[in-house]
Amino acid sequence: MNKLLVLAVLVALLALGAESFRVPRQVDEEQGALSKMADTVKSYYDSAVSTAGDYVESIKNLRLDEKAKKLYTDTATVVSTYTGIAQDQIYHILYPQQ
């Protein structure tokens, strides 16, 4: 019985000692749901901005801005010509020469 008591005490001491030698595990910093959502939204936003930038660069390579400026100036010239003609017609309708 003494041997059983001594063995129980040794096992208890061993168990207590083994617990003190246990390596603490590293706890990963868990992100909350809000920070996960914010990171996801930020990654989607960054992806959208980079995609839009790529599209803008491809459009600049097509020189569409120069074509649009030329179209605008041509259209403005035509509209101003016809506006002048319309003003002249209205003037002659309102103030006929005698």
Side-chain angles (χ1 to χ4, degrees):
M1 185 82 150
N2 279 338
K3 290 182 182 181
L4 187 58
L5 182 62
V6 171
L7 185 62
V9 170
L10 287 175
V11 169
L13 289 175
L14 182 64
L16 291 174
E19 186 175 311
S20 66
F21 288 116
R22 191 170 14 168
V23 177
R25 50 181 188 167
Q26 296 176 349
V27 178
D28 294 334
E29 293 181 19
E30 294 185 20
Q31 294 180 341
L34 187 60
S35 63
K36 285 182 183 178
M37 287 179 15
D39 290 342
T40 304
V41 169
K42 185 178 178 183
S43 69
Y44 286 149
Y45 174 76
D46 291 339
S47 174
V49 166
S50 67
T51 303
D54 293 342
Y55 286 147
V56 168
E57 289 300 320
S58 67
I59 288 172
K60 284 183 180 179
N61 291 337
L62 295 175
R63 297 184 181 171
L64 291 178
D65 55 342
E66 294 172 5
K67 293 177 184 177
K69 286 178 186 176
K70 186 176 185 298
L71 180 66
Y72 173 76
T73 56
D74 292 346
T75 304
T77 303
V78 170
V79 168
S80 66
T81 301
Y82 284 111
T83 304
I85 293 170
Q87 285 176 345
D88 189 40
Q89 293 294 321
I90 292 172
Y91 178 78
H92 286 292
I93 290 171
L94 293 177
Y95 303 107
Q97 293 186 1
Q98 297 178 354

